[in-house]
Amino acid sequence: MLAEIGAAAPAGLDVVADVAGGPGVSTMMPMLRDNGRWVIAGAVAGPVIDFDLRRLYLHNVQLIGSSIHTRVHFRRLVELARGGEVSPQLSSTFARTEIAEAQKEFSERRHIGKIVILPH
């Protein structure tokens, strides 16, 4: 994967929006250009990492934590979704009675997209 990113951005990355976290942060952080920004909005790949802090201060890199949206942004996103202008990628859908199966799928970390629990 690093080779593909390097080929697509040979001069390095200016901004990274990361919803996975995990060891990829430490591995890919050197690809971030000086004065770049890395936004973390999730940790499904792992919440604890080994990280060399010198990468931040020697390269003026910003590491930003975000819950992805403000209330205004979320309201606008809901409007767009209701209007059919955007739709999330769904991995699977489960009945409420199948919540254990949904949790198992989530914990296996092989899904791509959202796992949905139907209310009834």
Side-chain angles (χ1 to χ4, degrees):
M1 178 170 83
L2 293 177
E4 289 91 353
I5 295 170
L13 304 169
D14 291 313
V15 177
V16 174
D18 182 356
V19 296
V25 175
S26 299
T27 303
M28 292 177 52
M29 185 65 73
M31 300 181 88
L32 194 60
R33 293 171 50 160
D34 287 3
N35 301 305
R37 291 176 290 165
W38 192 292
V39 180
I40 302 278
V44 71
V48 179
I49 63 170
D50 182 32
F51 183 72
D52 186 341
L53 289 172
R54 294 172 293 187
R55 186 71 202 164
L56 293 177
Y57 67 83
L58 292 176
H59 298 274
N60 286 330
V61 169
Q62 295 178 36
L63 183 58
I64 303 163
S66 174
S67 60
I68 300 180
H69 56 76
T70 65
R71 289 178 189 236
V72 172
H73 291 129
F74 189 72
R75 186 178 314 115
R76 180 67 180 130
L77 181 59
V78 169
E79 290 170 1
L80 291 170
R82 285 184 177 151
E85 296 177 58
V86 297
S87 57
Q89 181 172 346
L90 299 181
S91 172
S92 54
T93 303
F94 294 90
R96 189 176 52 193
T97 57
E98 300 172 311
I99 196 164
E101 289 87 353
Q103 289 173 320
K104 182 177 186 287
E105 180 175 321
F106 180 79
S107 67
E108 291 173 351
R109 297 182 177 175
R110 286 184 274 166
H111 66 283
I112 297 174
K114 301 297 183 183
I115 297 173
V116 177
I117 309 292
L118 298 173
H120 41 282

